[in-house]
Amino acid sequence: MSDVYDLHIDTDVNVQLSDCRQEDARAVFGVLDHYYLLEDAETPSPAGTGPVTTVWMATFDTAGGSREEVAPPALAGKVVATLTGGYHAVGEVEKVLAAGFDIESLQAVSGDQETEARLLLAPR
């Protein structure tokens, strides 16, 4: 295994947000975008052009980004967040979310190289 590969393994976390309003999804992604490097995001379809989006997805690189801490935004309601990636990276994203929101662990699924954490985020 090369040193370059070792430095970048397990740094990406896929974040899926569901059961929430679009504004709440944007608020959660905004917190993560100030802290980590946003690599990819799926934006909802504009109103009237397709099916209603119920899941918002983005991928963040936990090895990059500005590490800016921001005041936690107010959420209108609860948000279900599913984090998928390497153990360390998912743990880091959980810490950032816990600093800004009340979180409750709903489920964790561990694999050989990756883990999936399902969280319920609530406003403070």
Side-chain angles (χ1 to χ4, degrees), residues 44-82:
S45 304
T49 63
V52 177
T53 301
T54 57
V55 176
W56 290 269
M57 296 185 292
T59 302
F60 294 91
D61 181 357
T62 60
S66 61
R67 302 285 196 267
E68 276 181 50
E69 291 188 27
V70 295
L75 297 178
K78 295 181 179 182
V79 177
V80 174
T82 304

mmCIF file of all heavy atoms in Angstrom, residues 44-82:
data_model
loop_
_atom_site.group_PDB
_atom_site.id
_atom_site.type_symbol
_atom_site.label_atom_id
_atom_site.label_comp_id
_atom_site.label_asym_id
_atom_site.label_seq_id
_atom_site.Cartn_x
_atom_site.Cartn_y
_atom_site.Cartn_z
ATOM 1 N N PRO A 44 -32.137 19.231 -4.415
ATOM 2 C CA PRO A 44 -33.511 18.878 -4.760
ATOM 3 C C PRO A 44 -33.949 19.525 -6.068
ATOM 4 O O PRO A 44 -33.428 20.558 -6.466
ATOM 5 C CB PRO A 44 -34.333 19.422 -3.602
ATOM 6 C CG PRO A 44 -33.389 19.959 -2.614
ATOM 7 C CD PRO A 44 -32.026 19.982 -3.199
ATOM 8 N N SER A 45 -34.910 18.910 -6.716
ATOM 9 C CA SER A 45 -35.482 19.472 -7.935
ATOM 10 C C SER A 45 -36.267 20.730 -7.586
ATOM 11 O O SER A 45 -36.910 20.794 -6.552
ATOM 12 C CB SER A 45 -36.453 18.482 -8.580
ATOM 13 O OG SER A 45 -35.824 17.267 -8.838
ATOM 14 N N PRO A 46 -36.213 21.750 -8.466
ATOM 15 C CA PRO A 46 -37.045 22.930 -8.227
ATOM 16 C C PRO A 46 -38.523 22.526 -8.216
ATOM 17 O O PRO A 46 -38.911 21.571 -8.875
ATOM 18 C CB PRO A 46 -36.736 23.841 -9.412
ATOM 19 C CG PRO A 46 -35.444 23.339 -9.975
ATOM 20 C CD PRO A 46 -35.375 21.880 -9.638
ATOM 21 N N ALA A 47 -39.320 23.272 -7.490
ATOM 22 C CA ALA A 47 -40.747 22.949 -7.356
ATOM 23 C C ALA A 47 -41.408 22.820 -8.719
ATOM 24 O O ALA A 47 -41.198 23.630 -9.614
ATOM 25 C CB ALA A 47 -41.429 24.026 -6.525
ATOM 26 N N GLY A 48 -42.201 21.776 -8.860
ATOM 27 C CA GLY A 48 -42.975 21.591 -10.074
ATOM 28 C C GLY A 48 -42.264 20.913 -11.230
ATOM 29 O O GLY A 48 -42.852 20.730 -12.281
ATOM 30 N N THR A 49 -40.990 20.546 -11.069
ATOM 31 C CA THR A 49 -40.270 19.950 -12.189
ATOM 32 C C THR A 49 -40.039 18.456 -12.026
ATOM 33 O O THR A 49 -39.472 17.838 -12.901
ATOM 34 C CB THR A 49 -38.894 20.624 -12.405
ATOM 35 O OG1 THR A 49 -38.115 20.398 -11.243
ATOM 36 C CG2 THR A 49 -39.047 22.095 -12.690
ATOM 37 N N GLY A 50 -40.431 17.896 -10.924
ATOM 38 C CA GLY A 50 -40.204 16.470 -10.738
ATOM 39 C C GLY A 50 -40.761 16.024 -9.407
ATOM 40 O O GLY A 50 -41.467 16.769 -8.727
ATOM 41 N N PRO A 51 -40.431 14.804 -9.033
ATOM 42 C CA PRO A 51 -40.940 14.288 -7.756
ATOM 43 C C PRO A 51 -40.369 15.074 -6.574
ATOM 44 O O PRO A 51 -39.301 15.662 -6.662
ATOM 45 C CB PRO A 51 -40.454 12.835 -7.736
ATOM 46 C CG PRO A 51 -39.371 12.763 -8.738
ATOM 47 C CD PRO A 51 -39.599 13.855 -9.737
ATOM 48 N N VAL A 52 -41.101 15.078 -5.494
ATOM 49 C CA VAL A 52 -40.663 15.763 -4.283
ATOM 50 C C VAL A 52 -39.483 15.006 -3.673
ATOM 51 O O VAL A 52 -39.533 13.796 -3.516
ATOM 52 C CB VAL A 52 -41.826 15.842 -3.264
ATOM 53 C CG1 VAL A 52 -41.361 16.479 -1.976
ATOM 54 C CG2 VAL A 52 -42.988 16.609 -3.857
ATOM 55 N N THR A 53 -38.425 15.733 -3.346
ATOM 56 C CA THR A 53 -37.245 15.128 -2.747
ATOM 57 C C THR A 53 -37.483 14.900 -1.262
ATOM 58 O O THR A 53 -37.912 15.800 -0.554
ATOM 59 C CB THR A 53 -36.025 16.036 -2.943
ATOM 60 O OG1 THR A 53 -35.830 16.232 -4.333
ATOM 61 C CG2 THR A 53 -34.781 15.415 -2.346
ATOM 62 N N THR A 54 -37.218 13.701 -0.812
ATOM 63 C CA THR A 54 -37.377 13.408 0.607
ATOM 64 C C THR A 54 -36.046 13.080 1.270
ATOM 65 O O THR A 54 -35.989 12.968 2.474
ATOM 66 C CB THR A 54 -38.353 12.236 0.822
ATOM 67 O OG1 THR A 54 -37.887 11.106 0.109
ATOM 68 C CG2 THR A 54 -39.739 12.596 0.360
ATOM 69 N N VAL A 55 -34.989 12.921 0.483
ATOM 70 C CA VAL A 55 -33.657 12.639 1.017
ATOM 71 C C VAL A 55 -32.668 13.576 0.335
ATOM 72 O O VAL A 55 -32.651 13.691 -0.884
ATOM 73 C CB VAL A 55 -33.238 11.172 0.771
ATOM 74 C CG1 VAL A 55 -31.814 10.931 1.250
ATOM 75 C CG2 VAL A 55 -34.194 10.211 1.432
ATOM 76 N N TRP A 56 -31.864 14.249 1.153
ATOM 77 C CA TRP A 56 -30.811 15.095 0.630
ATOM 78 C C TRP A 56 -29.495 14.417 0.947
ATOM 79 O O TRP A 56 -29.304 13.898 2.042
ATOM 80 C CB TRP A 56 -30.866 16.475 1.295
ATOM 81 C CG TRP A 56 -32.058 17.254 0.867
ATOM 82 C CD1 TRP A 56 -32.132 18.125 -0.189
ATOM 83 C CD2 TRP A 56 -33.358 17.231 1.449
ATOM 84 N NE1 TRP A 56 -33.405 18.636 -0.268
ATOM 85 C CE2 TRP A 56 -34.179 18.108 0.714
ATOM 86 C CE3 TRP A 56 -33.926 16.542 2.534
ATOM 87 C CZ2 TRP A 56 -35.512 18.332 1.011
ATOM 88 C CZ3 TRP A 56 -35.259 16.758 2.832
ATOM 89 C CH2 TRP A 56 -36.032 17.640 2.078
ATOM 90 N N MET A 57 -28.571 14.422 -0.027
ATOM 91 C CA MET A 57 -27.299 13.717 0.150
ATOM 92 C C MET A 57 -26.124 14.630 -0.156
ATOM 93 O O MET A 57 -26.193 15.461 -1.071
ATOM 94 C CB MET A 57 -27.239 12.501 -0.770
ATOM 95 C CG MET A 57 -28.272 11.452 -0.450
ATOM 96 S SD MET A 57 -28.120 9.950 -1.451
ATOM 97 C CE MET A 57 -28.563 10.563 -3.057
ATOM 98 N N ALA A 58 -25.055 14.442 0.588
ATOM 99 C CA ALA A 58 -23.805 15.150 0.333
ATOM 100 C C ALA A 58 -22.662 14.283 0.844
ATOM 101 O O ALA A 58 -22.837 13.469 1.744
ATOM 102 C CB ALA A 58 -23.791 16.505 1.030
ATOM 103 N N THR A 59 -21.490 14.477 0.251
ATOM 104 C CA THR A 59 -20.282 13.777 0.683
ATOM 105 C C THR A 59 -19.276 14.812 1.152
ATOM 106 O O THR A 59 -19.015 15.792 0.448
ATOM 107 C CB THR A 59 -19.694 12.940 -0.466
ATOM 108 O OG1 THR A 59 -20.686 12.011 -0.913
ATOM 109 C CG2 THR A 59 -18.452 12.180 -0.015
ATOM 110 N N PHE A 60 -18.734 14.587 2.337
ATOM 111 C CA PHE A 60 -17.753 15.497 2.916
ATOM 112 C C PHE A 60 -16.441 14.772 3.128
ATOM 113 O O PHE A 60 -16.423 13.621 3.554
ATOM 114 C CB PHE A 60 -18.251 16.032 4.269
ATOM 115 C CG PHE A 60 -19.464 16.910 4.137
ATOM 116 C CD1 PHE A 60 -20.735 16.360 4.217
ATOM 117 C CD2 PHE A 60 -19.333 18.268 3.916
ATOM 118 C CE1 PHE A 60 -21.860 17.157 4.083
ATOM 119 C CE2 PHE A 60 -20.453 19.076 3.785
ATOM 120 C CZ PHE A 60 -21.719 18.517 3.864
ATOM 121 N N ASP A 61 -15.333 15.466 2.846
ATOM 122 C CA ASP A 61 -13.992 14.935 3.091
ATOM 123 C C ASP A 61 -13.533 15.463 4.441
ATOM 124 O O ASP A 61 -13.292 16.662 4.599
ATOM 125 C CB ASP A 61 -13.041 15.377 1.990
ATOM 126 C CG ASP A 61 -11.637 14.838 2.170
ATOM 127 O OD1 ASP A 61 -11.357 14.163 3.189
ATOM 128 O OD2 ASP A 61 -10.793 15.081 1.283
ATOM 129 N N THR A 62 -13.427 14.586 5.414
ATOM 130 C CA THR A 62 -13.061 15.002 6.765
ATOM 131 C C THR A 62 -11.584 15.368 6.888
ATOM 132 O O THR A 62 -11.173 15.917 7.907
ATOM 133 C CB THR A 62 -13.416 13.920 7.798
ATOM 134 O OG1 THR A 62 -12.710 12.719 7.478
ATOM 135 C CG2 THR A 62 -14.910 13.649 7.814
ATOM 136 N N ALA A 63 -10.790 15.093 5.853
ATOM 137 C CA ALA A 63 -9.375 15.462 5.883
ATOM 138 C C ALA A 63 -9.173 16.896 5.387
ATOM 139 O O ALA A 63 -8.125 17.488 5.604
ATOM 140 C CB ALA A 63 -8.551 14.507 5.023
ATOM 141 N N GLY A 64 -10.184 17.461 4.713
ATOM 142 C CA GLY A 64 -10.066 18.805 4.173
ATOM 143 C C GLY A 64 -11.086 19.741 4.776
ATOM 144 O O GLY A 64 -11.956 19.335 5.541
ATOM 145 N N GLY A 65 -10.969 20.997 4.434
ATOM 146 C CA GLY A 65 -11.929 21.980 4.904
ATOM 147 C C GLY A 65 -11.287 23.008 5.805
ATOM 148 O O GLY A 65 -10.117 22.902 6.168
ATOM 149 N N SER A 66 -12.081 24.005 6.172
ATOM 150 C CA SER A 66 -11.536 25.130 6.929
ATOM 151 C C SER A 66 -11.654 24.987 8.440
ATOM 152 O O SER A 66 -11.098 25.786 9.180
ATOM 153 C CB SER A 66 -12.242 26.420 6.496
ATOM 154 O OG SER A 66 -13.631 26.310 6.768
ATOM 155 N N ARG A 67 -12.407 24.007 8.909
ATOM 156 C CA ARG A 67 -12.593 23.748 10.338
ATOM 157 C C ARG A 67 -13.176 24.971 11.063
ATOM 158 O O ARG A 67 -12.848 25.265 12.195
ATOM 159 C CB ARG A 67 -11.295 23.342 11.014
ATOM 160 C CG ARG A 67 -10.631 22.109 10.425
ATOM 161 C CD ARG A 67 -11.373 20.856 10.852
ATOM 162 N NE ARG A 67 -10.617 19.651 10.649
ATOM 163 C CZ ARG A 67 -10.691 18.900 9.549
ATOM 164 N NH1 ARG A 67 -11.449 19.244 8.548
ATOM 165 N NH2 ARG A 67 -9.985 17.786 9.452
ATOM 166 N N GLU A 68 -14.042 25.708 10.360
ATOM 167 C CA GLU A 68 -14.708 26.866 10.950
ATOM 168 C C GLU A 68 -15.862 26.413 11.809
ATOM 169 O O GLU A 68 -16.771 25.759 11.325
ATOM 170 C CB GLU A 68 -15.314 27.748 9.850
ATOM 171 C CG GLU A 68 -14.423 28.721 9.211
ATOM 172 C CD GLU A 68 -15.195 29.516 8.158
ATOM 173 O OE1 GLU A 68 -16.283 30.033 8.460
ATOM 174 O OE2 GLU A 68 -14.690 29.582 7.044
ATOM 175 N N GLU A 69 -15.835 26.773 13.057
ATOM 176 C CA GLU A 69 -16.983 26.466 13.911
ATOM 177 C C GLU A 69 -17.994 27.586 13.745
ATOM 178 O O GLU A 69 -17.633 28.764 13.739
ATOM 179 C CB GLU A 69 -16.539 26.319 15.356
ATOM 180 C CG GLU A 69 -15.694 25.083 15.564
ATOM 181 C CD GLU A 69 -15.406 24.802 17.019
ATOM 182 O OE1 GLU A 69 -16.212 25.210 17.877
ATOM 183 O OE2 GLU A 69 -14.383 24.166 17.272
ATOM 184 N N VAL A 70 -19.244 27.226 13.572
ATOM 185 C CA VAL A 70 -20.303 28.213 13.396
ATOM 186 C C VAL A 70 -21.360 28.006 14.469
ATOM 187 O O VAL A 70 -21.499 26.915 15.020
ATOM 188 C CB VAL A 70 -20.950 28.107 11.987
ATOM 189 C CG1 VAL A 70 -19.955 28.453 10.908
ATOM 190 C CG2 VAL A 70 -21.534 26.738 11.754
ATOM 191 N N ALA A 71 -22.083 29.078 14.735
ATOM 192 C CA ALA A 71 -23.180 28.961 15.693
ATOM 193 C C ALA A 71 -24.217 28.013 15.105
ATOM 194 O O ALA A 71 -24.537 28.091 13.919
ATOM 195 C CB ALA A 71 -23.794 30.325 15.944
ATOM 196 N N PRO A 72 -24.732 27.102 15.905
ATOM 197 C CA PRO A 72 -25.703 26.147 15.378
ATOM 198 C C PRO A 72 -26.975 26.858 14.919
ATOM 199 O O PRO A 72 -27.503 27.704 15.640
ATOM 200 C CB PRO A 72 -25.993 25.213 16.554
ATOM 201 C CG PRO A 72 -25.522 25.940 17.759
ATOM 202 C CD PRO A 72 -24.481 26.915 17.323
ATOM 203 N N PRO A 73 -27.418 26.550 13.721
ATOM 204 C CA PRO A 73 -28.649 27.164 13.235
ATOM 205 C C PRO A 73 -29.865 26.555 13.929
ATOM 206 O O PRO A 73 -29.810 25.435 14.428
ATOM 207 C CB PRO A 73 -28.651 26.819 11.744
ATOM 208 C CG PRO A 73 -27.877 25.549 11.667
ATOM 209 C CD PRO A 73 -26.839 25.635 12.756
ATOM 210 N N ALA A 74 -30.924 27.303 13.938
ATOM 211 C CA ALA A 74 -32.163 26.786 14.510
ATOM 212 C C ALA A 74 -32.823 25.850 13.501
ATOM 213 O O ALA A 74 -32.895 26.160 12.310
ATOM 214 C CB ALA A 74 -33.103 27.943 14.836
ATOM 215 N N LEU A 75 -33.248 24.704 13.959
ATOM 216 C CA LEU A 75 -33.982 23.778 13.114
ATOM 217 C C LEU A 75 -35.467 23.928 13.424
ATOM 218 O O LEU A 75 -35.849 24.144 14.576
ATOM 219 C CB LEU A 75 -33.553 22.331 13.393
ATOM 220 C CG LEU A 75 -32.111 21.948 13.099
ATOM 221 C CD1 LEU A 75 -31.866 20.493 13.479
ATOM 222 C CD2 LEU A 75 -31.780 22.179 11.636
ATOM 223 N N ALA A 76 -36.287 23.775 12.391
ATOM 224 C CA ALA A 76 -37.734 23.843 12.589
ATOM 225 C C ALA A 76 -38.264 22.557 13.210
ATOM 226 O O ALA A 76 -39.305 22.546 13.849
ATOM 227 C CB ALA A 76 -38.434 24.114 11.263
ATOM 228 N N GLY A 77 -37.535 21.471 13.011
ATOM 229 C CA GLY A 77 -37.972 20.177 13.532
ATOM 230 C C GLY A 77 -36.812 19.214 13.598
ATOM 231 O O GLY A 77 -35.657 19.603 13.461
ATOM 232 N N LYS A 78 -37.128 17.962 13.773
ATOM 233 C CA LYS A 78 -36.094 16.930 13.856
ATOM 234 C C LYS A 78 -35.660 16.496 12.465
ATOM 235 O O LYS A 78 -36.420 16.584 11.510
ATOM 236 C CB LYS A 78 -36.615 15.739 14.652
ATOM 237 C CG LYS A 78 -36.898 16.104 16.097
ATOM 238 C CD LYS A 78 -37.378 14.940 16.896
ATOM 239 C CE LYS A 78 -37.616 15.378 18.342
ATOM 240 N NZ LYS A 78 -38.038 14.276 19.181
ATOM 241 N N VAL A 79 -34.412 16.020 12.377
ATOM 242 C CA VAL A 79 -33.812 15.585 11.120
ATOM 243 C C VAL A 79 -33.197 14.210 11.336
ATOM 244 O O VAL A 79 -32.445 14.016 12.288
ATOM 245 C CB VAL A 79 -32.714 16.572 10.652
ATOM 246 C CG1 VAL A 79 -32.037 16.083 9.385
ATOM 247 C CG2 VAL A 79 -33.279 17.976 10.468
ATOM 248 N N VAL A 80 -33.496 13.267 10.457
ATOM 249 C CA VAL A 80 -32.850 11.960 10.501
ATOM 250 C C VAL A 80 -31.602 12.039 9.620
ATOM 251 O O VAL A 80 -31.688 12.403 8.446
ATOM 252 C CB VAL A 80 -33.793 10.835 10.020
ATOM 253 C CG1 VAL A 80 -33.041 9.512 9.948
ATOM 254 C CG2 VAL A 80 -34.997 10.718 10.938
ATOM 255 N N ALA A 81 -30.451 11.730 10.192
ATOM 256 C CA ALA A 81 -29.181 11.769 9.469
ATOM 257 C C ALA A 81 -28.573 10.376 9.447
ATOM 258 O O ALA A 81 -28.459 9.725 10.492
ATOM 259 C CB ALA A 81 -28.216 12.739 10.141
ATOM 260 N N THR A 82 -28.181 9.932 8.259
ATOM 261 C CA THR A 82 -27.476 8.666 8.107
ATOM 262 C C THR A 82 -26.074 8.979 7.608
ATOM 263 O O THR A 82 -25.904 9.594 6.556
ATOM 264 C CB THR A 82 -28.205 7.737 7.117
ATOM 265 O OG1 THR A 82 -29.547 7.549 7.561
ATOM 266 C CG2 THR A 82 -27.508 6.389 7.014
#
